[in-house]
Amino acid sequence: MLLYLCAHIAHYLFIMNEQSIKEQHESIVNLLKEQRLKEAQTQLSAMLTACSDGNLHNRLEQAQTSYQYMLQYMRQGIDDPERDKLYRNLRAETWDIANQAKANILDGMSYRYYQTLHASNRQSEKVTLATCLHTLENFEDDMAICQLMPDNQQRINELGNKLWETNRQLFLATWGNSSWSKETAAQAQSYLTSQQLRPIDLSLFTSAVTLSLTECFDIRKCLWLIDAYQTDNPMINQRALVGLAITLYIHGDQAALYPNLTARISLLGSDTTFRKDLSRIYLQLLQSKETEKVDKKMREEIFPEMIKGVNMMRGMKFGFEEPLEENDRNPDWEKALNDTKFNEKLRQMGELQMEGADLHFSTFNSLKQNPFFNDPCNWFYPFDLKHPAIVKLFGNNLKESNRLIKTLLQSGFFCESDKYSLCFTMTLLSPTQRTQMLEQFDRQMPEEMLDKENVQNIQEYASRKEVISQLYIQDIYRFYKCSQRKHELRDFFKEELALHKKPLLKEILGQTEVLIEVANFHFRKEHYTEALETYRLLADKHEADADIFQKAGFCLQKERRYREAAEAYRRADILKPDHIWTLRHLATCYRQLHDYEQALELYQKVEAMQPDNSSLLFLIGSCLAELQRYDDALQYFFKMDFMENNSLKAWRAIAWCSLVCGKTEQAERYYEKILGTDKPVAADYLNAGHAAWIRHDIDKAATRYGQALNAYGNMQDFIEMFNKDKETLLNSGIREKDMPLMMDLML
């Protein structure tokens, strides 16, 4: 028991120490962001007392000395044209020292997997990039030689295992390396120029570089990603660009301190292709944040409705064994096929798919518990028929004899980790059953589905840049949401992901056409705060048209900021005068602000354009009623009732207006009609009680109040609503002293 208690105390102290180091680091970073370099260096010096890395101590001393000299020269009035450059370099150097110090100190106290890798990487560098590259480059040649040899299956399997183990070691070593040396960076550059390295292996290495950068900024890795983006293979360059976008989001302020990186991004920004690629990836990252909502919609709405539709059609037979005249379709089947809800869910799913929503997360989420995914590199491993796990599962079955499965797995319909999950579902079958099932798939699939042209179209679709980047983001999303390490990672998918605000990306993603796309995306997804912020950026740039002001007004209206919304609608009305939608929403804002005169004026302006709009009649009547112009209001409500033919909404308005303007018989008549329907609500019974009491029918009033009490469910709510009408009752001749008596009479 004592040992158990001591272990828990030790674990608690570890957590507290880890938190303390993180807070120290965050404080230093905040000072650097605020350009308070002297204070940042002082705090960093104190932090380094817990760090045994002498190199970091020396670097900080040099930075402090350089800064001290710079300040002395400034005090002496010496004009130094290099001062700004030196100050920026010192901030960057101090920031980097702080990052490395944090990582090194946490090696001895954090339980995070990354820190384990980082500590291992510092202690020994058995895995070098050059060594791994040599092994990976030789794989294809070794495999080709091996296939010429008899009884080669064991050797082929050994080569496959060696390939995977090399990639695994390379991935983990790269992830755990917080800072590349010049030598390591040069070795990494060899990966981009190699002619023998498989794109699969380079893609996996690119993901490892990205994962490392999410933990700790490294200028050399960041520049390497830019070089990787400029390679020809879309599998590699799109992974690199996604990694660069994520890096510049997480480390935007620090990255902006490096002139060489700023220059590279600026140069790329002049390239139309880069701007389009980056803008697309930005929107795809925003779309990925919607995955949980899409997942919930699929599970709770779309799938159940589609299953219901399928169940209705079970048992349909179209066999030729039946007589021809008996083989006509049952009208009930046609009804099921054309069922509105079923078709609506299909339409919704189609729309989600068209806009790039992740429709498969719900399906494959539960399949990520396979031991295969215990190795982090497998989450990012491009689907490879030579992966030992696939070879072990299928052997040589995924060759030409199983074209359907092979084509499916090489298509652009599933992200890489989902392709592996799809394969592992087949482990539920015996090898014999698996082989039979694959062969049956091929036999039953129409030949035209797998002809050369269709297969080529599928492969071309999978090779499109937008498909590759979208599926890669899905792989990253699954790692951050489903892996066993997810609680150790900074889940940036939960953050705003406003890339257009980041220093190095502002100029590129701050272009009008990009901001409009971003704002409209947020608007469609009902992220009104984010949409409004972006629409205002456009307005500040004088790039807003009537449509943008309309949407900005709508966002403000949704946030109940009616005065600001009215101003936005006014600006929209100036740019596009007398637009019905604008005028109605502007009037609604004035109504919410209790400016009924302005609202009425606007509604009547719309009425001139839409004289037979019944909902507009109700709004005009409501404004007139609020202005106590009850006779005028009644005319509109009567017209509405005539147009809609027994409108309960119109009856309520007529009854209330009649009540407050002294037309009690008319009020009673309409309340009788309302209570005679099957849809009376608590307020109907309450108002009908008022009508009866004002007409001195005490018994009926008490009965109706009792019904209102039952409908409200408790006395407190009843009294609260009753008191809101107190003024109306007093003006109609009811004595305040009689009100408590009515309460008791009602009971």
Side-chain angles (χ1 to χ4, degrees), residues 432-446:
T432 303
Q433 291 172 322
R434 199 180 305 146
T435 302
Q436 290 174 347
M437 183 193 73
L438 294 174
E439 291 174 353
Q440 189 176 7
F441 276 167
D442 269 353
R443 284 197 304 269
Q444 292 185 350
M445 185 58 56

Side-chain angles (χ1 to χ4, degrees), residues 262-366:
T262 303
R264 292 288 301 274
I265 296 293
S266 179
L267 184 62
L268 281 172
S270 62
D271 179 47
T272 304
T273 301
F274 175 78
R275 291 201 305 271
K276 287 182 178 178
D277 284 350
L278 185 62
S279 302
R280 165 177 41 79
I281 284 169
Y282 181 17
L283 289 167
Q284 287 174 337
L285 284 168
L286 291 177
Q287 179 67 60
S288 70
K289 287 165 53 65
E290 296 295 297
T291 300
E292 289 183 17
K293 289 183 184 177
V294 172
D295 178 41
K296 184 178 181 182
K297 187 179 184 69
M298 295 289 286
R299 284 186 290 104
E300 298 180 2
E301 297 179 32
I302 294 179
F303 284 160
E305 196 63 45
M306 293 180 73
I307 290 170
K308 189 194 302 182
V310 170
N311 287 340
M312 289 175 66
M313 292 183 282
R314 278 183 179 172
M316 297 183 192
K317 294 183 179 180
F318 301 96
F320 292 107
E321 71 280 359
E322 299 175 13
L324 185 60
E325 64 271 18
E326 297 292 292
N327 200 31
D328 58 329
R329 291 173 180 257
N330 186 327
D332 292 338
W333 301 342
E334 205 65 30
K335 181 181 177 184
L337 288 166
N338 294 321
D339 180 78
T340 304
K341 290 184 179 179
F342 182 72
N343 283 336
E344 174 63 17
K345 297 308 174 187
L346 277 176
R347 184 190 62 78
Q348 289 178 11
M349 192 164 74
E351 288 178 354
L352 289 170
Q353 191 168 19
M354 286 295 291
E355 66 181 26
D358 186 352
L359 301 184
H360 300 134
F361 181 77
S362 177
T363 304
F364 290 101
N365 185 13
S366 59

Side-chain angles (χ1 to χ4, degrees), residues 518-573:
V518 170
N520 287 343
F521 171 84
H522 285 305
F523 188 82
R524 288 196 307 273
K525 300 301 177 183
E526 300 180 3
H527 306 158
Y528 295 120
T529 301
E530 292 86 349
L532 175 62
E533 186 178 355
T534 315
Y535 286 134
R536 283 185 159 171
L537 274 177
L538 289 163
D540 292 341
K541 288 162 58 92
H542 305 290
E543 299 286 353
D545 55 15
D547 182 66
I548 286 173
F549 280 118
Q550 284 178 337
K551 290 175 178 175
F554 189 80
C555 293
L556 288 161
Q557 189 176 338
K558 284 291 183 179
E559 293 186 345
R560 301 178 185 276
R561 295 159 63 180
Y562 298 112
R563 199 167 298 283
E564 295 170 80
E567 177 58 30
Y569 288 138
R570 279 292 187 195
R571 296 180 72 174
D573 187 49

Side-chain angles (χ1 to χ4, degrees), residues 127-254:
V127 180
T128 66
L129 300 191
T131 304
C132 291
L133 179 60
H134 180 73
T135 303
L136 296 173
E137 284 181 325
N138 289 337
F139 172 74
E140 295 285 10
D141 289 341
D142 291 344
M143 183 65 75
I145 293 171
C146 184
Q147 287 174 340
L148 297 174
M149 300 169 62
D151 300 324
N152 58 5
Q153 193 57 52
Q154 182 178 349
R155 178 59 181 154
I156 288 175
N157 290 341
E158 289 174 357
L159 284 174
N161 289 331
K162 183 180 179 182
L163 173 72
W164 177 79
E165 183 58 32
T166 302
N167 269 321
R168 175 181 174 275
Q169 291 181 0
L170 175 63
F171 184 92
L172 297 179
T174 303
W175 182 10
N177 188 331
S178 60
S179 180
W180 274 353
S181 63
K182 288 183 180 179
E183 181 184 0
T184 304
Q187 292 175 10
Q189 206 66 27
S190 300
Y191 280 67
L192 298 177
T193 56
S194 173
Q195 298 299 312
Q196 291 79 40
L197 187 64
R198 299 188 313 159
I200 285 176
D201 303 326
L202 183 52
S203 296
L204 183 63
F205 179 62
T206 304
S207 294
V209 171
T210 296
L211 209 55
S212 177
L213 280 166
T214 61
E215 295 285 352
C216 186
F217 181 78
D218 181 0
I219 181 60
R220 292 190 175 103
K221 291 196 196 82
C222 209
L223 292 171
W224 186 90
L225 284 180
I226 293 177
D227 291 334
Y229 168 70
Q230 294 178 307
T231 59
D232 294 331
N233 192 309
M235 182 194 298
I236 296 154
N237 60 44
Q238 292 306 297
R239 283 195 177 211
L241 188 53
V242 170
L244 184 65
I246 291 171
T247 299
L248 295 181
Y249 167 74
I250 294 175
H251 304 291
D253 292 307
Q254 184 180 1

Side-chain angles (χ1 to χ4, degrees), residues 26 79 162 190 408 572 710:
E26 185 178 357
D79 186 22
K162 183 180 179 182
S190 300
L408 185 65
N710 289 335

